[in-house]
Amino acid sequence: MEVPKKLVNSVAGCADDALAGLVACNPGLRLLQGHRVVLRADLAAIRGRVALLSGGGSGHEPAHAGYIGKGMLTGVVAGAVFTSPAVGSILAAIRAVTQAGAAGTLLIVKNYTGDRLNFGLALERARAEGTDVRMVVVGDDCAFAAPKKAGRRGLCGTVLVHKVAGALAEAGASLNEIVEKVSAATKAMGTLGLSLSPCSVPGSKPTFQLADDEMELGLGIHGEAGVCRMKVLPADEAVETMLAHMTDPSSASRLPLSPGASVVLVVNNLGGLSCLELGIVAGAAVRRLESRGIRIARALVGSFMTALEMAGVSLTLMLVDEELVGLIDAETTAMAWPNLAAAPATSQRQEVPAPKEGPETVQHETSTGPGAARVQLVLERVCSTLLDMQDKLNELDRAAGDGDCGHTHARAARAIQEWVRARPPPAASAQLLSALADLLLEKMGGSSGVLYGLFLTAAARPLHNRSDLPTWADAIDAGVEAMQRYGGAAPGDRTMLDSLCAAAQALHALRNPGADLLSVLATAVQSAEAAAEATRQMEAAAGRASYISSARLLQPDPGAVAVAAVLRAVLEGLQS
């Protein structure tokens, strides 16, 4: 197993470099000389108030230094990655806040042996110097059903403790009062993690291994083992599994959660989960809690206490009353605390009504005459052509795109087929093109759908009042111009425009008196096919292909090939 890549300067200096970067970008923070300690820049502001210190190993960013600020922590003591901080540095932080005039100091410590020992020893030494220091140990892990001698691990709920204690301290509460209220809050809180991947300390191999189809429930924030491994579940089922485990009546670490209870919910990214996945999990958590009759007084979603790059999530629930919600809502300048709305979370928010169609919107009238039959025949020919060449277009697209050009055009073809079979197409040319534009914009997807939609929408305008052959030439020019204006491509850029512009140029012959539609269209088709083949020799200047070396583009552009094929299908449909 290889050591994963890390974007660091050195393994030994990564914790110091991370803190230095944080302080450099935040004027409200200062490093304590000679120590891996970060403090509020305005230490004088804590005179007469209780100081709050926390910390632990690095690798959990933004915890804990991201929570320093007015209304939260006074300072943080950091260790190396996943390593408890040094006793000397903890003691130095206590001395710094004491000398700044703090009315006592509270140490907020996650329940890990190293943290308890080091913070505890520093506390004893500070007390020996006459300092008023207390310590609250946070253990919010709901993973283990049977009690462990070491107690419950400290997880993301610690961040809520920072916030509650910080709001109390800022309001002028005494050290005893803060300890009492924070201790009560920690007893009414639970957290459970779920991971899809391990994490790795810089310079080391991953802390554990998971099969591609596995997830682990109940693991710690350093990669410690959880309670079980299971096959990867859909997000809704995974969240239900987590909540059921957290509230299992037979578990010694359960969080008692009864219908009617109010909670603060934290959906925490363990480091490597995408924001998209996090949003899905958050929505599932809200729905599942609501189904249990739980009121979600506040919801925090983001990265609050991570485990390096672990792709996973933890859910934290804190039972709250009005006082606790007020403390959660209290103002803070801590950079990592979210701009939290002072309102409950709910999946039942009323949607904004869809806007009504504008007054100029014309209903697409249908027709059952011979013209409509001809249009239907042409559209069916276009659709069958695109479906037949789906694999070919995908293969062409793999060299320069994401290999889905055929899928995209096939999706459009199937949508048109369903539409035509459901009702006769509109009678008027402008209405036909507008209806097709609406359909492709909704169903086709990708940039191709937008480009075809642009072309058809713009081409429909000249055809509103007349649809003779010269006007059709004007319509094609209008569509091409719109694609160039908004798409940014031009002939020679190796795009669908190469075929379309070549055809448009040939279709100018429709403006000639006595022009024959089929003859002119046949010439336009030949021009489009020649232009599509010519893209084989072009260097891409627009679209995804522009990021690929021209030496690798040995095939014609799939979009240009598709346009030429569509034009030939139109010609064959009109000839039949």
Side-chain angles (χ1 to χ4, degrees):
M1 188 191 310
E2 295 183 355
V3 174
K5 294 177 285 188
K6 301 284 184 181
L7 195 59
V8 299
N9 295 315
S10 69
V11 171
C14 59
D16 294 299
D17 289 348
L19 286 182
L22 183 73
V23 171
C25 296
N26 291 277
L29 305 180
R30 294 289 187 275
L31 286 166
L32 182 61
Q33 187 176 18
H35 297 278
R36 200 179 282 137
V37 172
V38 183
L39 298 166
R40 282 176 58 172
D42 59 343
L43 272 185
I46 70 164
R47 179 173 294 278
R49 288 187 172 87
V50 174
L52 304 175
L53 298 176
S54 189
S58 297
H60 305 302
E61 291 73 19
H64 293 275
Y67 303 112
I68 298 173
K70 179 181 178 182
M72 285 195 81
L73 298 178
T74 312
V76 159
V77 192
V81 175
F82 292 177
T83 303
S84 297
V87 174
S89 291
I90 300 170
L91 184 58
I94 296 172
R95 287 170 176 162
V97 297
T98 301
Q99 291 169 19
T105 300
L106 176 62
L107 307 180
I108 301 172
V109 181
K110 299 189 299 299
N111 187 31
Y112 293 98
T113 302
D115 288 357
R116 288 200 322 270
L117 287 173
N118 290 15
F119 276 91
L121 179 52
L123 178 148
E124 294 299 331
R125 291 182 62 180
R127 282 181 175 172
E129 297 174 359
T131 306
D132 188 10
V133 190
R134 301 280 297 277
M135 184 165 78
V136 169
V137 177
V138 181
D140 54 318
D141 186 13
C142 287
F144 298 101
K148 299 284 184 179
K149 185 175 181 180
R152 298 164 66 186
R153 296 174 294 200
L155 301 174
C156 187
T158 310
V159 176
L160 295 180
V161 174
H162 293 338
K163 185 63 180 65
V164 170
L168 288 167
E170 187 61 32
S174 68
L175 181 56
N176 286 338
E177 184 182 357
I178 295 173
V179 169
E180 178 184 352
K181 292 188 175 181
V182 163
S183 297
T186 61
K187 291 181 175 67
M189 182 171 65
T191 298
L192 188 69
L194 179 74
S195 181
L196 304 176
S197 78
C199 58
S200 57
V201 174
S204 301
K205 295 178 180 180
T207 51
F208 61 93
Q209 287 295 306
L210 275 174
D212 290 342
D213 63 346
E214 284 185 330
M215 51 174 44
E216 183 154 356
L217 182 71
L219 72 174
I221 53 173
H222 310 94
E224 307 97 327
V227 290
C228 69
R229 291 187 176 185
M230 62 189 78
K231 297 298 182 182
V232 173
L233 299 172
D236 281 358
E237 293 179 32
V239 168
E240 179 58 34
T241 300
M242 294 174 76
L243 292 175
H245 190 93
M246 293 173 72
T247 58
D248 183 354
S250 66
S251 172
S253 62
R254 73 184 181 281
L255 177 68
L257 207 57
S258 303
S262 288
V263 299
V264 168
L265 165 68
V266 182
V267 183
N268 173 54
N269 189 344
L270 287 172
L273 205 68
S274 69
C275 292
L276 181 142
E277 293 165 281
L278 197 67
I280 294 170
V281 171
V286 170
R287 292 191 302 273
R288 296 291 176 167
L289 287 168
E290 286 178 334
S291 71
R292 293 167 176 254
I294 306 302
R295 179 178 182 270
I296 306 158
R298 299 291 182 268
L300 292 73
V301 182
S303 298
F304 302 104
M305 182 174 289
T306 62
L308 292 168
E309 80 279 30
M310 184 181 288
V313 63
S314 67
L315 299 180
T316 298
L317 297 173
M318 175 187 274
L319 291 163
V320 292
D321 54 18
E322 281 191 28
E323 181 186 14
L324 275 177
V325 171
L327 296 172
I328 293 293
D329 286 343
E331 182 182 350
T332 179
T333 60
M335 55 156 289
W337 185 258
N339 183 20
L340 190 62
T346 176
S347 63
Q348 306 301 315
R349 301 199 195 284
Q350 187 174 359
E351 295 182 347
V352 176
K356 296 178 180 178
E357 293 186 349
E360 295 184 3
T361 301
V362 178
Q363 294 297 317
H364 299 145
E365 298 177 5
T366 61
S367 172
T368 56
R374 175 57 57 89
V375 168
Q376 188 162 345
L377 182 63
V378 169
L379 290 176
E380 288 285 1
R381 178 63 66 93
V382 168
C383 292
S384 61
T385 297
L386 291 177
L387 290 171
D388 288 344
M389 64 190 308
Q390 177 177 351
D391 291 340
K392 176 184 177 181
L393 293 177
N394 283 337
E395 185 62 32
L396 292 175
D397 195 33
R398 285 190 188 101
D402 49 10
D404 69 343
C405 183
H407 293 320
T408 302
H409 283 80
R411 190 160 52 242
R414 284 189 287 269
I416 294 172
Q417 284 180 332
E418 292 176 8
W419 175 66
V420 168
R421 291 166 186 172
R423 56 182 294 184
S429 300
Q431 291 184 13
L432 173 64
L433 297 191
S434 294
L436 285 171
D438 291 343
L439 185 67
L440 296 186
L441 287 169
E442 180 184 354
K443 302 291 187 180
M444 187 174 187
S447 56
S448 296
V450 178
L451 288 169
Y452 280 116
L454 269 172
F455 175 82
L456 292 166
T457 299
R461 283 191 180 278
L463 295 167
H464 274 301
N465 297 319
R466 51 191 302 179
S467 58
D468 54 22
L469 294 185
T471 307
W472 270 100
D474 295 341
I476 300 300
D477 283 349
V480 169
E481 192 276 331
M483 290 177 71
Q484 289 185 268
R485 186 188 331 139
Y486 295 109
D493 285 348
R494 198 182 188 276
T495 70
M496 62 195 301
L497 266 173
D498 289 295
S499 292
L500 198 53
C501 287
Q505 189 66 33
L507 290 172
H508 287 174
L510 292 175
R511 298 189 178 108
N512 298 334
D516 178 69
L517 171 61
L518 295 182
S519 298
V520 173
L521 184 53
T523 302
V525 169
Q526 293 172 359
S527 298
E529 290 172 339
E533 179 60 27
T535 61
R536 186 190 298 269
Q537 309 301 326
M538 295 178 184
E539 183 162 346
R544 284 193 178 119
S546 62
Y547 301 104
I548 308 295
S549 168
S550 59
R552 293 171 55 192
L553 300 176
L554 305 177
Q555 303 290 341
D557 177 72
V561 171
V563 166
V566 167
L567 290 171
R568 177 160 290 283
V570 170
L571 175 62
E572 291 172 352
L574 291 174
Q575 289 173 332
S576 61

